[in-house]
Amino acid sequence: MKSLIVLISTFFIATISFSQQNDPAAKKVLDGVSAKFKTFKAVQAAFTLRQEDAKGGLLGTKKGTVSLKGSRYRVSIAGTGQEIFCDGTNIWTYDKSANEVTITKPDPSASTISMQKIFTSFYDKDFLYKLNGDKVVNKKTLQEIEMTPTDKNKPFHKVYVLVDKKSQTINSTRILDKSGNVMVYTINTMNGNANIPDNQFVFDKAKFPGVEVVDLR
């Protein structure tokens, strides 16, 4: 579970070598998503995480919420007792079962997909990408972008992003890791004009009596 919570927070994405540059049609779609996200004041979203094995078998599903405001974020996953706070300078990962919080610093070179990256222009530097075309899901027209990390040391080898063609927002992200497992994040609701006070992104020790603090900064 610890690896799951780290993947989500440091997040809400067979290796192929492309002989040509990135697909301009895919870049146009991704640029549209990035531009739309930048118009949001602050974001609150509810998501579902589906975990599958290499054969497509369901390993489990979890629901969660994420709040985003600039470089700050907060993630909660229902039923796990785990929550992540990030004020842009520090990251607090809280484990309710142990009543323990671990404090770390954001790592821009981390091998996982961060919450900010998944909504913004991370793709130009970190991935090769192409547009696979449109598909209709639940009466929505979605555009599928297939992405391959340029860094072969990443723990995942493929990411598929489905973009809502009408709203220019991400509908879901499917991440294939090198162990054969698959994680699918589906965004159920999104409010781009949420009113979120800055203190919501800071872990308040006073609200967690007896909490053990592990400071790894």
Side-chain angles (χ1 to χ4, degrees), residues 6-209:
V6 170
L7 174 62
I8 292 174
S9 66
T10 65
F11 189 173
F12 192 45
I13 210 180
T15 299
I16 296 177
S17 297
F18 293 104
S19 59
Q20 299 179 343
Q21 292 183 342
N22 283 319
D23 181 357
K27 178 173 173 55
K28 183 177 180 180
V29 174
L30 293 168
D31 284 349
V33 172
S34 179
K36 180 65 175 290
F37 188 78
K38 289 175 182 177
T39 68
F40 294 155
K41 174 184 176 183
V43 174
Q44 282 188 329
F47 65 88
T48 300
L49 168 62
R50 176 184 172 94
Q51 295 174 272
E52 303 172 358
D53 62 23
K55 296 181 180 180
L58 178 63
L59 297 177
T61 60
K62 298 182 183 299
K63 292 186 179 295
T65 59
V66 58
S67 300
L68 294 160
K69 188 177 181 181
S71 62
R72 293 160 289 191
Y73 62 84
R74 181 171 176 173
V75 184
S76 300
I77 304 175
T80 66
Q82 295 191 325
E83 198 165 8
I84 303 162
F85 306 75
C86 177
D87 65 355
T89 303
N90 299 293
I91 299 173
W92 295 265
T93 303
Y94 176 67
D95 182 349
K96 183 178 180 179
S97 64
N99 197 23
E100 178 182 278
V101 63
T102 302
I103 310 174
T104 55
K105 289 285 188 181
D107 181 6
S109 65
S111 60
T112 48
I113 303 175
S114 75
M115 281 295 173
Q116 285 70 38
K117 285 182 177 181
I118 207 165
F119 289 105
T120 53
S121 56
F122 69 98
Y123 44 88
D124 274 334
K125 180 180 179 181
D126 298 335
F127 289 90
L128 298 174
Y129 47 82
K130 65 177 182 177
L131 180 64
N132 284 343
D134 295 357
K135 58 174 62 178
V136 178
V137 179
N138 296 327
K139 298 182 179 180
K140 291 182 179 180
T141 300
L142 307 178
Q143 298 172 289
E144 183 179 81
I145 310 292
E146 179 181 325
M147 313 182 74
T148 303
T150 54
D151 182 354
K152 304 311 177 187
N153 292 318
K154 299 286 188 183
F156 51 89
H157 62 81
K158 191 74 69 177
V159 178
Y160 293 91
V161 177
L162 287 178
V163 175
D164 187 316
K165 193 171 185 177
K166 182 178 180 180
S167 67
Q168 291 186 300
T169 57
I170 292 177
N171 175 270
S172 65
T173 302
R174 185 180 185 89
I175 303 172
L176 283 62
D177 71 32
K178 291 180 177 177
S179 68
N181 292 329
V182 177
M183 290 189 177
V184 182
Y185 298 90
T186 300
I187 298 174
N188 303 316
T189 62
M190 179 184 291
N191 176 9
N193 293 299
N195 184 16
I196 311 173
D198 292 347
N199 62 9
Q200 293 298 305
F201 303 101
V202 178
F203 181 83
D204 185 352
K205 184 179 177 180
K207 294 181 180 179
F208 301 84

